[in-house]
Amino acid sequence: MTSRLAIAATALLLTAGASWASASESSAPKTNAAKFDARALTQQLARTAPVCGDFQQARWLEDVGAELESRGHFRLIGDPNAPEGLVWETTSPIEDRLEMRPDASQGPNGEPLPADQQAMAELLISFFHGDWQALEEHFSLTLRGTPDDWQASLTPNDARLAEAIERLEIDGGSWLEHVNLASGDGDRLELTLTAGGHCER
Amino acid sequence: MTSPSHEPRKGLDRAVWRWLWAAALLLCALLLAAKLAPQSPWRGAIDTRITAMLPKQERSPLAARAESLDDTANRLVILVGSRDASAAARKQRDAAAQALRQALAPIARLDDGKSLESLRLPAEVQPALIAPSLAGLSDDDWQARALRQLFQPGGQRDLIRDPFGLANAWQSWLTPANLSLSGGQLLLRSPASSGDQPSNGYRLISATLTGSAYAMSGQQALEQAVNGVKADYPDVQLLRSGLVFHASSGARQAKQEMSTIGLGSLIGVLLLLWAVFRTPRRLPLLLVPVATGVLFALPLTWWAFGSLHVLTLAFGASLIGISIDYVLHLECMRRLATHGRGGLAALWPGLTLGLCSSLAAYLAITLTPMPGLRQMGMFAALGLIGAWLSVRLWLPKLPLPAQATREDSPAARAAGRLARAIPGRRSWQALALLLVAALASLYGLRSDDRLTQLNPSPASLINEQREVQRLLAEPDGLRYLIVQAETDAALLTRLHALEDTFQRLNARQQLGHWASLAQQLPTLEQQQANLGAMRERTRTLLPQVLSTAGLPPELVTRAEQASADAHPLRPADWVALPAGEMGQRLWLDSRSVAIGIVRFGDVTAEGSAALARLAADDDSLEYVDQVARLSTTLGRIRSEMAWLVGGAVILISLLLALRYRHSTWRALLPPLGGLVLTLAALTLAGVGLNLFHLLGLLLVLGIGLDAGIFCAEHPARSAEKDRIGDTASRASQASLLAISLSCASSLLAFGLLSFSQTPALAALGLACLLGLSATWFLVPFARS
């Protein structure tokens, strides 16, 4: 029983951590636009976050010393303000459609979503619709730049989360443009996001 | 023993004995302090488990080992649910769960606080473990799966050693289908098969207490943590499961009842004594023997048994009723018969005989194999000895106030009134009829040894526990099957073959859920076949995958090398892994044979019978039903105790016959008549007799014997009314008053227990209520 639960809790188990709010606000450089802090960024992203778009993904596998590139579309499922899940549709080099619903007990094929993908889905959904509140429980955030050109570093404030994510950096302008994720084992994931021409908003 | 208390002093009247007894009590106080002091290295625990009172030896060695694996006393699970489906309610739920985790962190180890990497399976066994969900895949499917794993976010992480993403699928398969991860916490839903309304799910918190589940400090800390969250989030529903909650509720209940029932009876007894004796300043002195008895018995019993059972303590709180007998007899005798001028020699034989007969009854129960009863017997016996010593050594030295010995004192008047109740011919006829009818009705006497009858936990807590176990499909550990085979390979094959049987029972709704190694590991043949198939797939399917993904083709060689090094996962290795902890209670390590355990939950009576039949014809299977075993044991002990006490009664009767000859009936009528009338009343009320009724009857026997002995020592004189100044007649009145006060105070002490919420104590109280009333009722007959 015990480890049955613990197994389910593997990967990016985002458990409680100290609130990052005070730390991040104090570390935000004072020289930048007076009001541009995590709260302002949250509001900006929540306002401008796309319901869907295109992605380019580069995955570096440290073990084999090779990079895998792919591209495709993504789309949030349900109410944009409280999305139920995310469709991740790869178009090249393979065609694959993955529906991730963190709150559903089962995946699209009736089998449960593996914990790794479950956690990744939650992370991406939080990024896309600008739910920084969910993230602030698990990361300390350092913000640089202006509302039109900002960069943020997220450092896990939980030892177990740090096992899976060594460093997480995001940047963008009016909305999120890049996600760079480095794992402890040397693997990296780089996402470049653009507003797709084919989706509304 | 019979020395006069005038000079010269001899025997127990010498001062040295008084000082020795005081020194012994001082030593006992020190021993008790060592058990109670928070920083003491000998600090003792208080046990509340019913099972802790039961003998340990009635299990096969394998069953004993199987149950020691299941020692989950420190485990606890709390489910946090929301009131309704609204997003706000869900948010409340998550916040409450988060607060609870933080509150629990200082006192417990949370399960999901473990290192994540340590929970992954070693890569070299993964190719042997293919989740059933992947069983039907075609070659194309396998290739597509491998490619998806490469490009999906959160896909497999080890291209060389697990190119087809077996680890993800295996992990999903091992995870219960109704358990998932969201918002960084575990979410538990109703099982899909249960037909429940789809719920919002519960946040699941499972942990292991770092301290003992019986330690008061840990219980209080846990209670504070849970109550704090309850107060902060009143709309959130909490379901608790774990022995610590039952232990804590039991301890709280015992404490509460000791303060309400215990205090109530103490006040009642004090009021009664005040009304009769009217010397309030002497009342505390009257309680000295009781207090010293407890002081004597408590540390000695605690040290002898290591831990003290809460029922022993409750019994101790009630001990007050029986040892006060001695004080009452002494006091009544001094006031009414000897006028405080010594001459107590006539009292000591009766008092000593009273002690011996009660000791015989209590020591009889220390012969039972039940540790809890032996503890109680020893506690009661030591307490009585201590109280007796105080009465014998100390109390005669205390001066009496002058007005206490006046002829028209309230005590003398009460004794005179009581003595007027002399049964006539008709009363004797009615009594004979009553006793015959009672004896006849004993034919319908039956017993009831069901454990559920004695469960002291409140129903709400039991329901919460049951609901948690149902939602988690977690076996309760009370029923299990021990499976033996020559090798671990044969064992796994056997366990897999048994799954069909369990499935059938499940389909017939006789078995809710079960846990077996077969649910965690494929057979070794299957694992070998899996290994072969994965090696083949690595060789034939992987090159195509790599070229589609644009990866260097020479990686195939490395992957083939890795799969050549792969090997099956044997049960012993699985349970040794951090991830295999769930298998630890299902596997018994043994050098010569392989032993597995299948644990069941939600078994009906038919299901249990079917499992027992399955094991009956097969030497390699042993089915254990702990519930049935405990009930049987309780019943066996009940009948054993009945025989022991019966034997003790015969022995005591012989002893009494030696002294009282043809008036022996006087000594036996109150105790034995009381027993018969009580048993008859219970039979007629349709109450099945359990162990705790018998314990109550044992008390009735003790008090009844004291009453009977004094009836035989000091029977009513035929010409009592005329020769009121006669010493013997005064002694008779004094002992009657003492007997009446003893019965009334014991009724207050024990009878009140019938209002206890703890079923065991309530049964004991009921037996005392009936038995003591009957005994008192029989006293006028015994002395006339």
Side-chain angles (χ1 to χ4, degrees):
Chain A
M1 182 67 238
T2 316
S3 74
R4 217 153 143 189
L5 307 179
I7 285 177
T10 44
L12 305 172
L13 179 57
L14 310 174
T15 48
S19 165
W20 63 283
S22 55
S24 61
E25 277 171 29
S26 62
S27 61
K30 300 247 165 19
T31 52
N32 290 312
K35 278 291 179 185
F36 189 63
D37 55 13
R39 198 170 310 267
L41 180 58
T42 303
Q43 283 165 0
Q44 176 180 324
L45 286 175
R47 209 169 48 240
T48 58
V51 176
C52 66
D54 294 338
F55 70 82
Q56 272 186 296
Q57 173 182 290
R59 192 175 176 198
W60 170 258
L61 300 177
E62 176 75 13
D63 192 27
V64 298
E67 189 163 70
L68 291 162
E69 289 183 8
S70 59
R71 62 180 68 240
H73 330 292
F74 65 90
R75 174 188 293 273
L76 291 174
I77 306 169
D79 176 5
N81 293 317
E84 292 158 25
L86 176 70
V87 179
W88 195 258
E89 194 169 355
T90 309
T91 50
S92 157
I94 61 161
E95 292 203 0
D96 174 44
R97 187 183 145 88
L98 175 68
E99 221 171 89
M100 302 181 277
R101 291 174 187 264
D103 259 350
S105 54
Q106 297 200 319
N109 312 324
E111 68 182 86
L113 206 59
D116 283 357
Q117 290 190 356
Q118 177 93 7
M120 183 61 86
E122 285 190 33
L123 195 61
L124 289 176
I125 290 167
S126 300
F127 284 152
F128 288 146
H129 93 281
D131 183 6
W132 298 82
Q133 243 181 6
L135 291 170
E136 66 184 78
E137 284 179 22
H138 314 298
F139 297 95
S140 335
L141 184 136
T142 317
L143 192 59
R144 293 177 303 274
T146 63
D148 297 326
D149 180 15
W150 53 267
Q151 301 87 39
S153 309
L154 291 89
T155 317
N157 51 20
D158 177 297
R160 284 170 308 126
L161 192 55
E163 283 178 26
I165 300 177
E166 195 177 74
R167 207 177 59 252
L168 185 55
E169 286 177 348
I170 56 176
D171 63 67
S174 67
W175 66 306
L176 178 69
E177 286 162 12
H178 295 104
V179 176
N180 289 319
L181 191 154
S183 315
D185 56 10
D187 283 9
R188 285 196 306 274
L189 181 73
E190 292 175 23
L191 292 174
T192 306
L193 308 165
T194 46
H198 65 283
C199 64
E200 62 270 33
R201 176 151 184 165
Chain B
M1 216 37 75
T2 56
S3 65
S5 58
H6 295 290
E7 303 287 340
R9 297 213 165 125
K10 286 186 291 183
L12 288 176
D13 288 316
R14 284 165 54 189
V16 59
W17 290 113
R18 294 202 292 278
W19 288 109
L20 271 178
W21 176 229
L25 283 177
L26 193 66
L27 190 67
C28 285
L30 289 176
L31 286 175
L32 185 62
K35 277 288 180 191
L36 287 174
Q39 283 88 30
S40 163
W42 301 284
R43 189 174 156 79
I46 305 237
D47 210 341
T48 55
R49 292 168 300 167
I50 288 278
T51 49
M53 299 183 54
L54 299 177
K56 297 265 189 289
Q57 65 267 32
E58 301 200 3
R59 318 184 276 197
S60 71
L62 279 184
R65 285 183 60 196
E67 281 158 37
S68 73
L69 284 182
D70 205 28
D71 187 18
T72 48
N74 286 4
R75 296 275 310 140
L76 65 100
V77 174
I78 302 178
L79 300 185
V80 186
S82 62
R83 195 183 43 174
D84 53 50
S86 70
R90 283 211 302 260
K91 213 164 186 152
Q92 279 271 310
R93 173 196 70 191
D94 293 357
Q98 205 57 270
L100 193 54
R101 303 169 72 90
Q102 267 159 22
L104 288 178
I107 50 172
R109 205 171 53 249
L110 292 163
D111 285 340
D112 44 24
K114 291 174 184 161
S115 163
L116 303 171
E117 290 304 315
S118 72
L119 291 171
R120 290 187 189 278
L121 282 182
E124 62 271 17
V125 300
Q126 193 61 67
L129 306 171
I130 303 179
S133 58
L134 304 180
L137 296 193
S138 68
D139 284 357
D140 286 348
D141 294 337
W142 278 108
Q143 278 181 332
R145 178 176 176 82
L147 279 168
R148 277 203 308 276
Q149 293 288 331
L150 282 175
F151 292 105
Q152 281 176 355
Q156 59 82 2
R157 318 183 328 152
D158 196 339
L159 176 63
I160 301 299
R161 288 181 295 182
D162 185 16
F164 296 95
L166 295 178
N168 273 348
W170 186 254
Q171 197 181 78
S172 299
W173 179 67
L174 276 187
T175 306
N178 61 333
L179 189 64
S180 59
L181 192 65
S182 82
Q185 295 186 48
L186 291 170
L187 186 69
L188 182 74
R189 288 163 203 278
S190 301
S193 56
S194 68
D196 288 6
Q197 293 289 317
S199 73
N200 308 304
Y202 296 91
R203 289 300 182 190
L204 187 150
I205 296 170
S206 66
T208 306
L209 275 189
T210 40
S212 157
Y214 300 110
M216 285 286 185
S217 57
Q219 287 178 2
Q220 275 163 7
L222 178 64
E223 206 157 302
Q224 267 169 17
V226 172
N227 287 344
V229 170
K230 263 187 180 165
D232 292 348
Y233 301 92
D235 286 344
V236 164
Q237 183 196 6
L238 292 184
L239 295 180
R240 296 160 297 167
S241 159
L243 184 124
V244 59
F245 294 111
H246 295 266
S248 145
S249 131
R252 195 175 52 238
Q253 191 168 293
K255 231 197 242 158
Q256 197 180 332
E257 289 187 348
M258 264 203 258
S259 56
T260 55
I261 298 183
L263 199 67
S265 67
L266 186 68
I267 291 174
V269 170
L270 288 177
L271 278 177
L272 182 74
L273 294 180
W274 176 79
V276 176
F277 293 136
R278 301 290 166 96
T279 43
R281 257 180 272 164
R282 273 181 75 80
L283 283 186
L285 291 178
L286 295 184
L287 294 178
V288 163
V290 179
T292 52
V294 172
L295 180 61
F296 183 57
L298 194 59
L300 293 184
T301 316
W302 209 338
W303 280 91
F305 286 86
S307 78
L308 208 58
H309 200 277
V310 71
L311 286 175
T312 307
L313 266 186
F315 211 66
S318 307
L319 200 77
I320 199 168
I322 191 159
S323 54
I324 211 162
D325 272 17
Y326 310 142
V327 194
L328 292 172
H329 278 291
L330 178 78
E331 193 71 9
C332 290
M333 199 60 87
R334 287 182 75 194
R335 284 166 183 248
L336 270 61
T338 69
H339 298 284
R341 289 187 300 271
L344 291 169
L347 179 69
W348 300 137
L351 216 54
T352 309
L353 209 51
L355 173 71
C356 290
S357 58
S358 303
L359 283 186
Y362 293 144
L363 291 177
I365 64 170
T366 64
L367 295 179
T368 61
M370 203 154 145
L373 279 185
R374 289 166 52 182
Q375 203 179 52
M376 274 190 206
M378 177 170 171
F379 190 83
L382 285 174
L384 286 185
I385 292 173
W388 186 89
L389 282 171
S390 293
V391 170
R392 179 67 187 81
L393 298 176
W394 288 355
L395 287 200
K397 296 294 139 205
L398 295 172
L400 270 180
Q403 86 267 18
T405 53
R406 275 169 36 197
E407 300 246 337
D408 61 340
S409 67
R413 275 183 281 137
R417 273 200 299 279
L418 281 168
R420 259 174 256 143
I422 304 275
R425 228 179 108 87
R426 295 204 168 200
S427 305
W428 277 104
Q429 283 167 352
L431 175 69
L433 217 65
L434 186 66
L435 284 178
V436 169
L439 278 171
S441 72
L442 291 190
Y443 183 70
L445 188 65
R446 60 182 189 85
S447 59
D448 187 347
D449 299 314
R450 280 174 303 160
L451 254 195
T452 46
Q453 275 225 317
L454 299 176
N455 194 337
S457 291
S460 61
L461 199 53
I462 294 174
N463 289 339
E464 282 183 30
Q465 171 111 23
R466 201 166 288 157
E467 179 67 4
V468 171
Q469 281 174 344
R470 188 183 70 84
L471 288 169
L472 284 174
E474 190 174 44
D476 52 25
L478 294 175
R479 297 180 179 85
Y480 59 92
L481 189 69
I482 301 175
V483 186
Q484 290 192 61
E486 300 216 330
T487 63
D488 57 351
L491 177 71
L492 272 180
T493 309
R494 184 74 207 271
L495 287 172
H496 275 270
L498 284 169
E499 287 293 291
D500 284 347
T501 312
F502 306 145
Q503 296 283 8
R504 268 203 308 281
L505 288 176
N506 178 254
R508 275 188 249 141
Q509 306 203 319
Q510 293 171 350
L511 171 61
H513 46 261
W514 65 97
S516 159
L517 278 181
Q519 297 159 341
Q520 301 168 9
L521 282 181
T523 61
L524 287 181
E525 299 93 66
Q526 181 66 53
Q527 292 196 40
Q528 287 294 357
N530 288 348
L531 276 177
M534 290 325 287
R535 284 178 187 138
E536 180 70 11
R537 282 173 195 134
T538 306
R539 197 170 57 77
T540 58
L541 304 180
L542 195 58
Q544 173 77 51
V545 172
L546 293 175
S547 80
T548 309
L551 288 167
E554 59 270 21
L555 290 178
V556 175
T557 326
R558 283 180 64 190
E560 276 185 306
Q561 185 53 49
S563 76
D565 292 342
H567 57 80
L569 181 56
R570 309 193 84 96
D573 297 329
W574 160 239
V575 301
L577 290 172
E581 196 189 322
M582 65 206 257
Q584 277 169 13
R585 45 203 289 272
L586 307 176
W587 166 260
L588 276 185
D589 210 23
S590 167
R591 218 169 291 166
S592 50
V593 286
I595 306 162
I597 303 161
V598 185
R599 298 188 186 262
F600 305 105
D602 247 343
V603 191
T604 63
E606 297 87 35
S608 191
L611 290 167
R613 274 198 306 279
L614 176 73
D617 322 327
D618 195 329
D619 284 345
S620 62
L621 299 180
E622 179 185 346
Y623 177 63
V624 180
D625 182 342
Q626 292 196 74
V627 179
R629 189 181 67 199
L630 286 182
S631 292
T632 314
T633 309
L634 275 184
R636 201 176 56 67
I637 288 167
R638 177 186 44 71
S639 70
E640 222 167 73
M641 196 170 94
W643 286 112
L644 279 169
V645 173
V649 166
I650 293 175
L651 203 76
I652 293 166
S653 306
L654 289 176
L655 192 74
L656 295 176
L658 277 180
R659 181 169 169 85
Y660 299 123
R661 311 281 166 188
H662 62 271
S663 348
T664 309
W665 67 270
R666 290 185 193 277
L668 292 179
L669 179 64
L672 297 188
L675 288 192
V676 169
L677 289 177
T678 310
L679 287 175
L682 289 175
T683 307
L684 292 177
V687 177
L689 203 63
N690 68 34
L691 190 59
F692 294 91
H693 290 122
L694 271 192
L695 279 175
L697 289 178
L698 206 59
L699 281 163
V700 172
L701 189 69
I703 295 166
L705 276 168
D706 282 353
I709 285 168
F710 275 88
C711 287
E713 285 282 331
H714 309 285
R717 300 283 150 156
S718 49
E720 198 169 75
K721 284 165 205 158
D722 304 327
R723 301 165 55 203
I724 203 81
D726 177 20
T727 314
S729 142
R730 283 174 168 283
S732 171
Q733 286 197 8
S735 71
L736 175 61
L737 179 65
I739 290 167
S740 300
L741 287 175
S742 143
C743 284
S745 60
S746 305
L747 267 175
L748 282 171
F750 299 116
L752 281 180
L753 284 182
S754 41
F755 299 107
S756 167
Q757 295 297 306
T758 309
L761 288 182
L764 186 141
L766 181 65
C768 286
L769 189 69
L770 295 171
L772 290 172
S773 309
T775 303
W776 197 2
F777 161 75
L778 290 171
V779 163
F781 291 96
R783 67 186 290 275
S784 71

